[in-house]
Amino acid sequence: MNQEPLPAALAAYAGAGERDAPYELLAEREDGTVVRCGEIVAKAHAGDSDRAGLAVRMRIAADEALAGVLLAPLHPEVGYLGGRPVSLWPYGAPVDPERPEDAPWEAAGRLLAALHQVPVHRLPGPVPPMRGPAKLARALRRLSRATATDAVGGRDGARSPDGARSPDGARSPDGARSPDGARSPDGARIPAGARSGAALVPGPAEGRSAGDLVRAAARTLPAWVRGEAPAPRGGALCHGDLHLGQLVRGPGPDGGWRLIDVDDLGIGTPAWDLARPAAWYAAGLLDTGAWVRFLDSYRAAGGPAAGPPGSDPWPELDLAARALTVQTAALALAKSAENRRRLEDVERLMVESCARIASLPPDLEARAPS
């Protein structure tokens, strides 16, 4: 008997068993498959998900303390389909990639500030850890597997962006613009029309493979950031994977923006939730106006992770931004090796940023940014 494809099975699950239910495939990646059936969205989470942790995360998303911040599930219980955890959600309209001028950076800042100020002791528990460091560790392992396979296959490997072989041998462009609606290697949507930064790679990187540069950048991070040691105690409730694709218009009369995707939700360093926009800004992928709107909105709403209004945010954000840069570059190189394709402009910029990070002295302290 042929097994029903997962998207069709998800559609039937969302339709209370209705076979051949019409659906729209929203995402199909190794970390999850998502379909829309009318006003219902069904998600099959990764098969290796922490099921106990996911159950708690679902209950947190349904808790009144997160009303107006997280999109609440239709049911707080996790279902199962073909051995994979499944959740059901109301449909929310996503950010329009064709209208970058309408990107809700202010709303993202306000929602993160509210999330970071939720009293953790009042939530259903035990609240699991935020999965940011675990995702970085996973990306580095994937890079090692992909480049090891590459080496066995006899490929020369990627050279550093200035020395100038990428996995396809192409030279990195300078001043290129990212394609509208493009996604970074970890699935995060890059703002349409984002500017790209200059390919400024320090001299000592010359001749080193891109994989070596990313691993060298990772070694400048503390062990807990790489997922190799327990994170410092304390922290706040964090989303763990913030980007514009994680915002939708909520149902109901207000139609306000809500955060979605609770797979990485948990207690951790709140600076991690600002790290991707910060890394994009540092690499030249996010323009100054958008960055300032996001940062000012977060601070004005009482967000604890970036210092007081008017202060320099980088002492608080630098470590997490470097971690997200390494994660994104590791995934970029892994996917380019696995698929035998060239690095895209955005991906090259993140590898180039790792070359700069690799030139910094190691940050070996166990401290966490706020």
Side-chain angles (χ1 to χ4, degrees):
M1 179 181 296
N2 292 330
Q3 187 175 11
E4 187 175 27
L6 180 57
L10 270 178
Y13 183 91
E18 179 186 349
R19 295 187 61 82
D20 300 322
Y23 67 87
E24 177 187 358
L25 181 62
L26 300 180
E28 190 169 29
R29 301 188 300 270
E30 62 179 17
D31 60 346
T33 298
V34 185
V35 302
R36 176 189 178 187
C37 300
E39 296 305 307
I40 297 177
V41 172
K43 177 174 183 177
H45 302 260
D48 61 353
S49 295
D50 171 9
R51 301 189 178 193
L54 179 59
V56 175
R57 292 179 173 107
M58 290 288 292
R59 292 198 297 271
I60 291 174
D63 194 88
E64 290 184 359
L66 278 304
V69 179
L70 293 178
L71 186 70
L74 293 174
H75 307 290
E77 299 81 17
V78 178
Y80 291 92
L81 183 64
R84 291 181 64 170
V86 176
S87 57
L88 294 178
W89 306 83
Y91 174 74
V95 176
D96 185 352
E98 302 303 321
R99 294 186 58 83
E101 67 275 10
D102 294 338
W105 287 111
E106 294 91 338
R110 289 193 299 271
L111 289 170
L112 284 183
L115 183 72
H116 294 164
Q117 295 175 84
V118 170
V120 175
H121 66 279
R122 297 182 182 176
L123 296 175
V127 181
M130 181 267 294
R131 295 187 60 249
K135 293 185 73 172
L136 172 55
R138 188 169 187 163
L140 289 169
R141 289 194 298 270
R142 183 171 176 178
L143 172 62
S144 294
R145 289 194 301 270
T147 52
T149 302
D150 223 26
V152 170
R155 296 182 75 209
D156 187 34
R159 294 292 178 187
S160 66
D162 73 331
R165 286 185 62 88
S166 63
D168 62 345
R171 289 182 180 273
S172 58
D174 194 1
R177 298 178 68 85
S178 67
D180 287 356
R183 289 188 179 274
S184 70
D186 52 3
R189 188 172 292 281
I190 301 293
R195 64 189 177 88
S196 57
L200 302 175
V201 182
E206 187 172 355
R208 299 173 67 181
S209 77
D212 285 346
L213 287 174
V214 172
R215 283 183 282 267
R219 288 193 293 271
T220 69
L221 304 171
W224 73 267
V225 174
R226 302 193 303 266
E228 298 174 359
R233 295 176 62 87
L237 184 65
C238 301
H239 182 275
D241 189 28
L242 188 279
H243 54 82
L244 288 180
Q246 305 288 34
L247 278 82
V248 299
R249 291 282 189 183
D254 74 318
W257 292 104
R258 303 286 187 273
L259 294 172
I260 62 170
D261 190 355
V262 298
D263 291 70
D264 304 312
L265 187 79
I267 296 177
T269 300
W272 208 284
D273 283 344
L274 283 72
R276 186 174 279 110
W280 285 350
Y281 174 64
L285 290 168
L286 184 63
D287 66 59
T288 301
W291 167 248
V292 170
R293 293 198 306 274
F294 170 71
L295 182 64
D296 287 353
S297 176
Y298 178 82
R299 287 170 154 177
S311 67
D312 180 3
W314 290 103
E316 302 290 338
L317 301 182
D318 175 70
L319 185 57
R322 283 190 280 139
L324 260 291
T325 300
V326 170
Q327 176 182 312
T328 305
L331 286 173
L333 291 174
K335 291 182 179 182
S336 70
E338 292 162 358
N339 298 312
R340 296 296 193 267
R341 65 164 176 81
R342 69 185 341 177
L343 283 177
E344 297 175 358
D345 295 345
V346 168
E347 295 172 328
R348 286 196 191 95
L349 284 169
M350 302 313 286
V351 175
E352 290 163 6
S353 294
C354 281
R356 293 190 288 274
I357 292 170
S359 70
L360 300 174
D363 186 347
L364 302 179
E365 299 179 22
R367 64 177 178 83
S370 60

